[in-house]
Amino acid sequence: MKIDILTLFPEMFSPVTRDSMLGRAVDKGILDIRLTDIRDFSNDKHNKADDYPFGGGGGMVMMADPIFGAMEHVKARGRKVIYMSPRGRILDEAKIRELSQMDDLVILCGHYEGVDQRVLDYWNVEEISIGDYVLTGGELPAMVLIDSVARLLPGVLGNENSALNESVYSGLLEHPQYTQPREYRGMEVPEVLVSGNHKLIDLWKLEESLKITKERREELFEEFISHIDDRNEDGSKRFSKDEKKIIDKLK
Ligand code: 4G0
């Protein structure tokens, strides 16, 4: 997957593209991340890239011309262009999956009060937000988006993860997890997890996921139970009798 990032602060990305899990995906050639400094395309004598907003209101707005220059430099025409913005659609797992199917993205990071609207209109930009809060720039949101998309690419997590994520992301919150040692400061790992009975273990995981989802995210729980009688793509039933029994018990 090739990703061009357009930003006034390309150095912000180096910890992510170098050292992290993403850095390893870059090294393996799964991810090709290219950084473009928008300031390099300023035609102003002081390399200015922002100015005061027409109509007032305070803050600064990123100027159209340097961004147009950067867009033309990365040959953005015809490519999917994403703009990280607090007024975008909020990123969720469905959007992440959709983006993970693409092999080519351009991500524009705005600073200050955002970019001149003509950039968004001309380059047919899709605005995406990572949540209802404002940050000083779109760089951290871009890193969040890239990390969330990259972990779905084959070979990034190490384990061949596509099938794994398919089953784990069911619309429920995750069940509790435990690792060694079996007893820590008097606290035991639930017996069923060390029983070796994989059918019982899967039922326990389902029950714990349902319990925690009902407790913390009632709307997700309701959405989940409204689909219990859905069928899989191959027409088979989504849930066994035992699974249904657990779901009914918690309803
Ligand atoms: C555009 C994204 C970009 C407009 C970017 C700020 C939060 C997010 C920026 C503004 C960002 C997010 C109008 C302040 C840069 N902050 N939630 N900051 N305004 O995804």
Side-chain angles (χ1 to χ4, degrees):
M1 182 175 205
K2 176 179 140 190
I3 305 178
D4 274 293
I5 302 170
L6 277 50
T7 170
L8 287 177
F9 299 94
E11 66 284 355
M12 277 187 73
F13 289 85
S14 27
V16 174
T17 50
R18 268 202 247 107
D19 314 324
S20 62
M21 205 63 168
L22 280 193
R24 283 185 279 287
V26 169
D27 293 339
K28 287 197 218 167
I30 299 165
L31 259 186
D32 180 7
I33 298 180
R34 300 170 187 203
L35 286 155
T36 296
D37 188 342
I38 293 167
R39 200 175 298 283
D40 291 346
F41 299 90
S42 169
N43 293 303
D44 174 84
K45 57 175 181 275
H46 302 107
N47 284 342
K48 194 165 67 108
D50 60 310
D51 208 331
Y52 301 99
F54 279 122
M60 301 296 269
V61 174
M62 286 171 65
M63 299 166 78
D65 189 56
I67 300 174
F68 270 67
M71 288 284 190
E72 279 154 3
H73 175 74
V74 303
K75 300 183 165 42
R77 193 177 308 285
R79 300 173 65 188
K80 180 157 192 72
V81 182
I82 290 167
Y83 174 53
M84 307 313 300
S85 153
R87 69 179 192 190
R89 260 267 304 275
I90 292 178
L91 185 65
D92 61 12
E93 202 65 21
K95 174 57 77 175
I96 291 163
R97 272 163 196 275
E98 179 191 317
L99 294 176
S100 73
Q101 303 298 309
M102 319 223 40
D103 52 16
D104 179 62
L105 294 175
V106 178
I107 304 177
L108 173 62
C109 305
H111 237 84
Y112 321 114
E113 297 305 305
V115 306
D116 188 302
Q117 181 63 33
R118 289 167 290 192
V119 171
L120 310 180
D121 297 342
Y122 183 90
W123 292 97
N124 205 267
V125 160
E126 177 173 354
E127 296 188 50
I128 296 179
S129 167
I130 63 161
D132 285 334
Y133 40 84
V134 177
L135 303 168
T136 57
E139 285 78 11
L140 287 169
M143 289 182 237
V144 167
L145 181 130
I146 293 166
D147 188 274
S148 65
V149 168
R151 66 182 282 285
L152 298 185
L153 302 178
V156 170
L157 284 185
N159 49 28
E160 279 323 306
N161 54 28
S162 54
L164 189 83
N165 278 304
E166 211 78 62
S167 62
V168 168
Y169 192 71
S170 58
L172 293 175
L173 301 182
E174 273 252 35
H175 56 77
Q177 301 274 16
Y178 299 87
T179 185
Q180 298 288 357
R182 274 178 71 161
E183 193 219 296
Y184 182 70
R185 301 197 182 195
M187 296 176 282
E188 302 261 12
V189 172
E191 192 64 35
V192 61
L193 295 180
V194 294
S195 68
N197 185 331
H198 294 293
K199 210 176 141 213
L200 268 185
I201 290 172
D202 285 346
L203 290 173
W204 178 88
K205 290 179 177 176
L206 175 64
E207 178 163 4
E208 292 301 315
S209 284
L210 286 163
K211 282 200 285 196
I212 202 161
T213 306
K214 190 177 183 195
E215 208 172 278
R216 296 187 182 178
R217 297 288 300 276
E218 210 189 324
E219 82 286 7
L220 290 184
F221 183 79
E222 295 303 328
E223 168 71 13
F224 182 86
I225 59 173
S226 74
H227 291 292
I228 41 178
D229 292 318
D230 289 6
R231 298 251 169 176
N232 292 320
E233 294 196 31
D234 63 359
S236 62
K237 289 201 166 137
R238 195 146 90 97
F239 295 109
S240 69
K241 282 224 163 67
D242 289 334
E243 289 170 329
K244 275 239 179 81
K245 229 185 267 174
I246 286 171
I247 297 165
D248 280 335
K249 188 172 70 180
L250 290 167
K251 252 201 263 184

